[in-house]
Amino acid sequence: ETVAPGVSLDWLWQRGDVERALAVGERVLKWLCDLAQASAAPGSDARAFVVEDADALGVDATRLIDAIVDVPRDVAHNDLGTVNVLTDGSRFTVIDWEDGLIEGLPVVDVAYFVTTLLAMIHAPSEPRERARWCCALWRGELPESQFAFRWLRRAADGLGLDGVQTGALVTMSWLQGAHSAGDREHLQTERTPH
């Protein structure tokens, strides 16, 4: 992080340079699509990616596994939000790879990054309203939805994924994200002296 030039993509946006932040964001998305295609390899056991309590959350884990059993795996960052992209306004560096996988789930970085990019620019700041905005984004209810769908489609098409596979992958990624947030909160509670 200290060697990479520039500031976080969030900081670029906060300085009011929305056009440049969006342009860098699109370069990151193109790079993610290219990285996925270059690193795609036959898939390993899909069960390793299912969140333990998926069924308790009302998600049929068996259907998710069945949908992604034949999808390739690729290099995945697994936490690629705008805060993990440093930029000088033209070049960029992706940082914080501690959750990265060589055989990760495809398209999940694109889905997460495009969500954080568009939310950074367009979503309300209040957490509940922001969550509602993100749901509306992926339901296709917002003007920004077409941007998100275009990039997700590009990532999926580049790997030969159909809509069912892509939907299952994105669902699994959101479940993992929600689960890992709880894990992080638990670890912080455990480490905090009382």
Side-chain angles (χ1 to χ4, degrees), residues 99-147:
D99 293 326
L101 295 171
I102 298 296
E103 288 189 18
L105 294 176
V107 308
V108 299
D109 283 343
V110 169
Y112 185 64
F113 182 77
V114 80
T115 303
T116 62
L117 176 68
L118 293 174
M120 171 186 74
I121 298 169
H122 301 287
S125 59
E126 195 277 317
R128 286 187 192 273
E129 289 302 312
R130 190 175 193 84
R132 285 187 188 100
W133 184 94
C134 290
C135 291
L137 174 73
W138 289 108
R139 285 193 306 262
E141 298 170 357
L142 302 175
E144 298 81 15
S145 296
Q146 292 310 307
F147 180 92

Side-chain angles (χ1 to χ4, degrees), residues 7-13 21 24-25 82 85-87 113 117 120:
V7 297
S8 77
L9 197 51
D10 286 358
W11 181 252
L12 187 66
W13 169 77
V24 171
T82 52
V85 175
L86 299 182
T87 183
F113 182 77
L117 176 68
M120 171 186 74

Side-chain angles (χ1 to χ4, degrees), residues 1-46:
E1 289 176 34
T2 56
V3 177
V7 297
S8 77
L9 197 51
D10 286 358
W11 181 252
L12 187 66
W13 169 77
Q14 289 170 358
R15 291 192 325 208
D17 202 344
V18 174
E19 281 186 35
R20 187 173 284 181
L22 192 56
V24 171
E26 288 214 69
R27 284 196 294 282
V28 172
L29 287 162
K30 181 186 179 313
W31 172 77
L32 283 170
C33 292
D34 293 344
L35 176 63
Q37 289 179 24
S39 65
S44 56
D45 187 3

Side-chain angles (χ1 to χ4, degrees), residues 67-107:
I68 68 162
V69 79
D70 293 327
V71 302
R73 303 298 185 259
D74 63 17
V75 171
H77 183 281
N78 284 322
D79 188 27
L80 189 53
T82 52
V83 71
N84 286 331
V85 175
L86 299 182
T87 183
D88 61 6
S90 60
R91 297 176 303 150
F92 67 88
T93 302
V94 174
I95 61 169
D96 289 339
W97 285 85
E98 64 268 9
D99 293 326
L101 295 171
I102 298 296
E103 288 189 18
L105 294 176
V107 308

